[in-house]
Amino acid sequence: MSAYIAAVRWRRKPDERFVYGRYGRGHEWAFDGGATVIASASPHVVPAPYSVAAGVDPEEALVASLSSCHMLFFLDFARRAGFVVDSYDDEAEGVMEAGPGGRDWMAQVTLRPRVVFSGDKRPRRAEVEALHHRAHEACYIANSVKSEVRVEGSEDGLAAG
């Protein structure tokens, strides 16, 4: 199989009082293709000024990873079925809850893809639902988490009927 590497880098500033919890949670993610992302603890968990609101937090990254993985498989399966997808937009949402033993976890992630089709061959709603099901079953990230993943899709440009 494959291996994936992400470099995560954080440095304490000299004036930060680490042992008192007064230190910045802003850090950087670097990936092998050259992309660098500003990251931070969630402002929902660590208030400013110790978090970076503009940074991506691990919870958002998990939701984005699930959405992106699902989309990539959906697009491939739609292509193989002969459908043309013009756009795919998702406003995915993750919900944190207290789990057994009081440990918080990402209990549910809802994907809300809006897919626009064009071309001569258009899918019916049942075919789109089957594509979403196949994409969910194939998604490596969805297969790796215990969170419930829901898909509440909508479509434009479907076949009549």
Side-chain angles (χ1 to χ4, degrees), residues 33-44:
T36 301
V37 176
I38 296 170
S40 178
S42 169
H44 298 293

Side-chain angles (χ1 to χ4, degrees), residues 14-15 96 115 137 159:
D15 62 333
M96 297 283 290
V115 184
E137 292 294 313

Side-chain angles (χ1 to χ4, degrees), residues 126-140:
E127 291 171 302
V128 174
E129 290 172 2
L131 289 170
H132 280 302
H133 180 75
R134 282 185 65 201
H136 177 71
E137 292 294 313
C139 174
Y140 314 129

Side-chain angles (χ1 to χ4, degrees), residues 31-108:
F31 300 94
D32 59 359
T36 301
V37 176
I38 296 170
S40 178
S42 169
H44 298 293
V45 177
V46 177
Y50 305 112
S51 61
V52 179
V56 177
D57 61 63
E59 298 83 1
E60 291 171 323
L62 176 62
V63 172
S65 292
L66 283 161
S67 175
S68 180
C69 185
H70 183 92
M71 178 197 71
L72 292 169
F73 276 108
F74 181 92
L75 293 174
D76 186 55
F77 294 149
R79 174 196 61 85
R80 291 178 190 211
F83 304 125
V84 175
V85 176
D86 286 341
S87 65
Y88 183 111
D89 298 294
D90 190 2
E91 295 291 329
E93 177 184 25
V95 177
M96 297 283 290
E97 293 181 359
R103 296 186 330 189
D104 291 346
W105 70 299
M106 185 72 66
Q108 179 183 337

